Amino acid sequence: MLKKIVLTGAAGRCGTILRPALAKMCDELVSSDIVESLTDLAPNETYVRADIADYASVAGLMDGVEMVCHFGAIVDEGPFEQLLGPNFIGSYNVWESAQKAGARRIIYASSIHVVGMHPRQSFVGIDAAHRPDSFYGLAKCFTEDLGRMYWEKRGLESVHLRILSCAPVKNARALGTWLSDGDLVHLVERAIDTPTTGFAVIYGVSDNDRAPVDNSKAAFLGYRPRDNAEQFAAEILSQEGAGDPTDLAQMVHGGPFGTVELGKGGAAAAAKGDD
């Protein structure tokens, strides 16, 4: 049992799913976001409103922390200036304040969009080169490199969860990218309770027959997903019909993020849930 976990982005989809499980893993859970309040707090959970782009606000969460689950961010493409505070500076604020407070590890909601421009048929592994598809993906690349640097220079462990699609299956792409709610919880539990991790990367995806990524080099984390999107395949494929190999959104790992103009959130918004 951990003494204290801090969760940023607690009001988001993933944060909402994780809060009950995290509360069971620690004596004290501090959940944080920019909304006014949260409902259904666990008996050992407190909510603190904080802007992760403000260092003092983030540092105020960290006293006595052992693990940080950093899920706070703008979850879409947008102008660089809009993402700079929460998605870039926010990550630095979390790592720097957590390290100063003596945290042992940070679990970070990274994204498939760090490798979003790799061809979808390439079955990328966790060691694939960064090829971001957007400013949003670039922020995830920045934070993965930040995490590696803080491990190698300051000894702060981190596990970077390259989430594919943590949302209901609504299209053919999601037959490969789906991460179920239960598998998300299992993934974060393994990222927390694995004895040592150093700097680690793992794809957040369920045990889908059509999964387009390779987690074999992250097997030491003990993540063994249980759910499979194939249960939705017949219905989804009958609705969508044949794919289009001339559509870049169907041919790269980033999906619609691969075709959206830099700084524009329109097409990327269609992939909401790709964290």
Side-chain angles (χ1 to χ4, degrees), residues 78-245:
F80 181 82
E81 295 81 4
Q82 180 183 357
L83 272 59
L84 178 61
N87 293 32
F88 289 86
I89 296 173
S91 288
Y92 166 77
N93 289 342
V94 168
W95 255 262
E96 180 67 9
S97 62
Q99 185 268 327
K100 286 184 175 178
R104 179 156 61 92
R105 186 178 305 160
I106 298 175
I107 291 83
Y108 174 60
S110 189
S111 171
I112 187 63
H113 300 295
V114 302
V115 291
M117 296 308 293
H118 280 273
R120 183 171 170 80
Q121 289 74 24
S122 62
F123 196 58
V124 292
I126 62 171
D127 52 359
H130 285 173
R131 288 180 65 178
D133 52 27
S134 52
F135 288 135
Y136 174 75
L138 182 66
K140 300 298 186 179
C141 293
F142 166 79
T143 305
E144 288 193 5
D145 288 344
L146 181 79
R148 182 187 294 272
M149 182 179 70
Y150 267 72
W151 162 244
E152 293 178 345
K153 300 288 286 189
R154 293 183 171 175
L156 176 58
E157 292 188 319
S158 57
V159 181
H160 299 253
L161 317 177
R162 290 182 179 171
I163 295 171
L164 278 69
S165 300
C166 187
V169 178
K170 295 182 179 179
N171 54 53
R173 177 174 179 268
L175 294 174
T177 62
W178 183 51
L179 175 64
S180 70
D181 294 0
D183 284 338
L184 169 65
V185 170
H186 173 52
L187 175 63
V188 173
E189 288 175 340
R190 292 294 82 80
I192 289 174
D193 66 15
T194 297
T196 61
T197 64
F199 167 83
V201 170
I202 185 170
Y203 289 102
V205 64
S206 285
D207 189 27
N208 306 323
D209 288 356
R210 305 168 196 248
V213 294
D214 179 10
N215 263 337
S216 60
K217 292 183 178 179
F220 77 95
L221 288 170
Y223 172 58
R224 304 293 184 266
R226 303 175 181 89
D227 296 318
N228 189 334
E230 201 62 21
Q231 61 186 294
F232 309 110
E235 179 180 358
I236 293 293
L237 295 178
S238 67
Q239 294 171 354
E240 291 203 7
D244 180 5

Side-chain angles (χ1 to χ4, degrees), residues 29-71:
L29 172 63
V30 176
S31 294
S32 180
D33 211 305
I34 57 173
V35 300
E36 288 291 339
S37 61
L38 293 179
T39 58
D40 301 322
L41 294 176
N44 62 332
E45 179 183 12
T46 57
Y47 176 72
V48 180
R49 187 183 185 192
D51 180 356
I52 56 175
D54 178 69
Y55 181 84
S57 295
V58 177
L61 306 171
M62 299 294 177
D63 184 43
V65 69
E66 289 189 65
M67 296 273 180
V68 179
C69 292
H70 179 33
F71 280 70

